[in-house]
Amino acid sequence: MKKLFLSLLIILFSPLAGVCHHSLQVQHIYYISPSGNDANNGLSPATAWRSIERVNRETFRPGDRILFESDGTWYGQLSPAGSGTREKKIFIGSYGNGKRPVINIGESTGAAITLIGQSWWEIDGLELTSGAPPRLRSRRNGITARAKEGGSIAGITVRECYIHDVWGQVGGAATSTMILISGADEEVLVENNIIRRCDKIGIHVIGKKNVVVRGNRLENLGGDGIIVFQADRGLIEHNIVENSCLRTGDPHLDTGDDNRYDWWPHTAAIWIAHCNETIMQFNEVYHTGRQAGNGDGQAFDFDFGCKNCILQYNYSRDNAGFLLIMDNTHENIARYNISQNDIKFRPTQLVTMFCDTAEQNLLHNNVFYVDHGTSDITYYYGDEYGPMKGKGKKDKGKLGAHFRNNIFYATGQGRFRTVYALGDSLNSAEFRKLEDFHQLPPSKAGTRFYNNLYFGPWMNGLPDDPKAIQADPKLVSPGSGRYGLNSLEGYKLRDDSPCFNQAIAIEMEGEINDFYGNKTGKSPTEIGVFEDAKR
C-alpha cells in the first residue's frame, strides 16, 4: 500500500502530469544523401539514408524535416506518409551548399512527389525531371497533392522548385500537370517555381480559402500555364507565362482516344473558373500558341462560374488573344491592363465573349494596341458543327460585356473589327464562321461600348458607342513594350493628350491605383491606364 501511495504522488506532482502524448512528440530532421545507407537512422548527415524508397517507408510527424543533400540525384518517386499541422508543417527541402537536389522519375508514370489525403506539407527547393519521351495513356506529373475521394486537404506549400522536361500526355484521360493541388479547403501557396518544357498543364489548383499562386515562371508548355478553380478571394500575381498552349489542339496529335471529343483541346495561359472575388494582377503573358483544334489561346480567362473577380495591372503581348469571358460569369472586371499585338493567329480573338450583357462583366481603362493584322472583338453565339450542333444559340442583341474608358489603338497595318462567331465550341477556331456587322444590334444604346477612345481603322465601322472619342490619345511611345512591366512607360499619356478628365465614372470599392501605381481615387478621371495625380 505504501508503494502504491508513493507512485501516485510521483504521478500527481510530476511536471509532465496532464500533458498529452501528442505534445511530447519529438520533431526529427531526416537526411538523405547519395553516399548514405538505408540501415542508418537518418538523423544526421553522418548517418543519412540513401534512397527514396527508405523515405517512403517512414511515417512523418508534425514538424519533421526531410532534407536531401544538395547536388545529389535520386531516381524514383517520392511518396512520404503522414501529415503536419497548421503550426508544424512537414518540410521537404535540402541541406548543404550546392544546386537543388534532383528527383528524376525517368520513364515512370505518376508524379515525382505524391501526397494523397495529407495536409500541412511544404516542398521547397527541389529539381524534378524525367527527360523520357511521352507515352500514350501514361500520366507524368511533377508534384501531386490531392484529397482522397470525399475528403479534403489543407496547408500545401510548393516554392522555389524547378520542374523541367516532364513530357506527360497532352490530352485524354492521362492528361499531365506539373503542380497539381486538388481538394484543398484552405492555405495553398505556390510560389517562385520555374516550370519549363513540360506537358500539359503547368500549375492547377482546386482550392477554396487562401489560395495564392505567386511569382512563378512557366515556359514552353503544351497546354495551360496556370489554372485556379473554386477559390474564394484567391490571388494570382507576379507570374510570367511564355510560350504556353503550344501543343493542345494539334489535329495530328495522338491522345490515345478514339473520339477526339474525349479530351479537352482548349487551353489558355492564366485562367480561373468557379471563383469568387479572386484577383489576377501584375502577371505577364507572352507568345501563347494555338493549334487548329484549340478554340482559346488567350492570355487570360474568366471562365464558368466566376463572380466579382478582377483582372488588373497585367501585360499581354503577342498572344492568340487577350481575354475570354465565358457565360455564367457575373460582375467580373478587367481594368488597367495593357494588350500589345495579341493577334498571333487567325482568326484573332482579342476579347471573346460568350457572356450576356445582363451578367454585368466590365472592361474599363485598358489599352489595346495593334500594329499589324485584324484584331477581333468576338461575340460567340452558338454551335453550327460538332456534337453541340443546333444547341444553345444565343440572342445576339444580349451578348457581350461592357467596355468603358478604354483606348483602342490601331496603327501601321493594324485594324480592329467586331464580329459574331458561330461554330463548334468543342472543335476548332478555324471552323468557326465569322459574321461582320457594321453595328452590333444594340439591346440598349451604349450597353456594350460607352466612352471609349478609338484611334485607327475599324474594318466594319466603329462599335455602337454613343460617347465615342475619335482622336490620337497622344501616348508617350505606343507599341514600345518589351519584356517586363517596367518596359511599358510608353503607354502613359503625354501632356497634350485628349484623354485627361474624359473618363466616365466607374464606381470602385475604395481607392485603387492605375497601371503605374498612381492613385485613382474612387473613380478614374482619365481614359486609358494612366492617371495623372498632379491634375
Side-chain angles (χ1 to χ4, degrees):
M1 184 67 184
K2 187 174 180 181
K3 281 179 136 184
L4 177 60
F5 179 73
L6 287 173
S7 299
L8 289 173
L9 284 177
I10 290 170
I11 295 171
L12 181 62
F13 293 104
S14 169
L16 297 180
V19 178
C20 69
H21 176 73
H22 176 78
S23 66
L24 297 177
Q25 289 178 356
V26 178
Q27 299 170 34
H28 289 121
I29 300 177
Y30 295 91
Y31 297 86
I32 304 94
S33 169
S35 60
N37 188 321
D38 286 349
N40 292 335
N41 62 18
L43 296 177
S44 73
T47 60
W49 293 334
R50 180 183 181 89
S51 71
I52 285 178
E53 289 73 22
R54 177 62 186 88
V55 179
N56 292 345
R57 294 202 301 267
E58 194 75 16
T59 297
F60 297 95
R61 301 176 181 277
D64 284 351
R65 298 173 71 82
I66 307 164
L67 305 183
F68 290 84
E69 186 175 14
S70 298
D71 292 324
T73 297
W74 287 262
Y75 293 89
Q77 294 169 285
L78 182 64
S79 54
S83 285
T85 64
R86 184 188 300 274
E87 296 76 19
K88 296 180 180 180
K89 286 186 176 181
I90 301 173
F91 179 88
I92 305 176
S94 65
Y95 72 97
N97 298 317
K99 295 180 180 178
R100 295 179 178 93
V102 178
I103 297 177
N104 189 325
I105 67 172
E107 296 187 358
S108 299
T109 60
I113 301 176
T114 301
L115 303 171
I116 305 296
Q118 297 162 257
S119 296
W120 305 107
W121 284 76
E122 180 174 339
I123 302 169
D124 193 319
L126 302 182
E127 180 177 340
L128 311 175
T129 190
S130 161
R135 191 167 66 220
L136 282 180
R137 301 177 181 86
S138 297
R139 178 186 285 111
R140 292 192 186 110
N141 296 345
I143 298 170
T144 294
R146 61 178 174 84
K148 294 179 180 178
E149 186 174 353
S152 64
I153 59 175
I156 304 297
T157 296
V158 180
R159 61 157 58 95
E160 301 287 349
C161 290
Y162 177 32
I163 304 175
H164 65 96
D165 299 286
V166 180
W167 302 109
Q169 187 157 316
V170 176
T175 294
S176 299
T177 303
M178 297 309 105
I179 298 177
L180 173 62
I181 301 172
S182 177
D185 276 348
E186 58 176 328
E187 302 292 346
V188 173
L189 175 61
V190 181
E191 182 176 54
N192 297 336
N193 301 283
I194 299 172
I195 301 175
R196 290 193 176 118
R197 297 182 302 276
C198 296
D199 282 335
K200 166 188 176 183
I201 301 168
I203 298 169
H204 188 182
V205 178
I206 305 173
K208 297 178 182 177
K209 296 180 180 179
N210 300 319
V211 172
V212 178
V213 180
R214 172 192 293 137
N216 302 283
R217 185 175 186 99
L218 303 96
E219 302 172 4
N220 193 336
L221 300 178
D224 312 274
I226 298 170
I227 309 172
V228 173
F229 284 3
Q230 299 177 357
D232 186 14
R233 299 190 175 184
L235 183 61
I236 305 166
E237 65 175 4
H238 296 289
N239 301 285
I240 300 173
V241 180
E242 183 172 9
N243 288 314
S244 63
C245 311
L246 295 183
R247 293 171 281 280
T248 46
D250 182 348
H252 305 292
L253 184 69
D254 188 353
T255 66
D257 296 303
D258 295 332
N259 185 342
R260 65 178 301 175
Y261 297 106
D262 286 345
W263 70 290
W264 191 251
H266 308 305
T267 57
I270 301 177
W271 60 284
I272 58 178
H274 303 287
C275 289
N276 181 55
E277 297 185 17
T278 291
I279 296 175
M280 298 179 278
Q281 64 181 8
F282 303 112
N283 300 291
E284 305 167 45
V285 180
Y286 307 99
H287 308 295
T288 57
R290 192 173 79 209
Q291 296 288 334
N294 180 7
D296 295 351
Q298 289 88 351
F300 303 100
D301 173 10
F302 292 126
D303 216 282
F304 296 113
C306 285
K307 185 175 182 179
N308 296 317
C309 297
I310 294 176
L311 178 73
Q312 62 185 7
Y313 317 133
N314 300 284
Y315 176 32
S316 173
R317 195 192 86 192
D318 295 323
N319 299 299
F322 167 64
L323 177 63
L324 170 65
I325 309 176
M326 292 302 297
D327 43 5
N328 190 27
T329 54
H330 300 272
E331 300 179 55
N332 301 291
I333 296 173
R335 64 190 181 196
Y336 296 107
N337 301 288
I338 294 174
S339 164
Q340 181 176 301
N341 282 326
D342 282 328
I343 52 169
K344 189 173 180 181
F345 297 98
R346 291 289 302 151
T348 63
Q349 301 184 103
L350 177 65
V351 179
T352 298
M353 293 162 286
F354 288 65
C355 58
D356 191 301
T357 53
E359 293 174 333
Q360 295 295 313
N361 295 297
L362 172 65
L363 296 88
H364 77 85
N365 290 92
N366 303 284
V367 174
F368 304 104
Y369 172 94
V370 58
D371 60 24
H372 61 279
T374 303
S375 187
D376 289 340
I377 310 294
T378 304
Y379 297 78
Y380 190 90
Y381 73 94
D383 286 338
E384 190 175 36
Y385 316 102
M388 297 292 289
K389 182 176 180 181
K391 297 180 181 179
K393 283 193 177 181
K394 301 175 182 179
D395 183 342
K396 295 178 183 178
K398 295 180 179 180
L399 275 175
H402 305 272
F403 292 80
R404 307 285 188 265
N405 299 336
N406 301 288
I407 295 175
F408 292 92
Y409 193 108
T411 187
Q413 298 300 321
R415 64 199 70 86
F416 292 103
R417 177 175 63 167
T418 49
V419 296
Y420 287 121
L422 177 68
D424 176 9
S425 62
L426 293 179
N427 197 333
S428 167
E430 69 180 355
F431 292 120
R432 293 181 182 177
K433 178 181 177 183
L434 301 181
E435 302 175 0
D436 289 350
F437 287 86
H438 177 67
Q439 287 186 328
L440 296 166
S443 55
K444 181 180 179 181
T447 294
R448 295 184 175 109
F449 293 86
Y450 195 80
N451 203 71
N452 300 284
L453 184 142
Y454 306 89
F455 178 74
W458 284 68
M459 279 186 66
N460 50 355
L462 291 183
D464 177 39
D465 186 336
K467 287 200 68 176
I469 302 171
Q470 292 183 262
D472 184 344
K474 303 292 181 68
L475 300 174
V476 169
S477 182
S480 61
R482 295 298 180 260
Y483 284 96
L485 299 178
N486 60 0
S487 74
L488 299 168
E489 295 292 302
Y491 288 97
K492 289 183 176 179
L493 302 176
R494 287 164 26 191
D495 289 341
D496 58 345
S497 172
C499 295
F500 288 112
N501 299 312
Q502 293 301 311
I504 61 165
I506 304 289
E507 185 178 348
M508 296 183 290
E509 188 174 336
E511 293 189 0
I512 67 165
N513 298 332
D514 70 359
F515 186 88
Y516 304 97
N518 302 310
K519 294 292 184 183
T520 64
K522 294 185 178 180
S523 180
T525 58
E526 271 73 84
I527 292 175
V529 296
F530 176 69
E531 189 81 14
D532 191 344
K534 299 176 182 178
R535 289 178 178 250

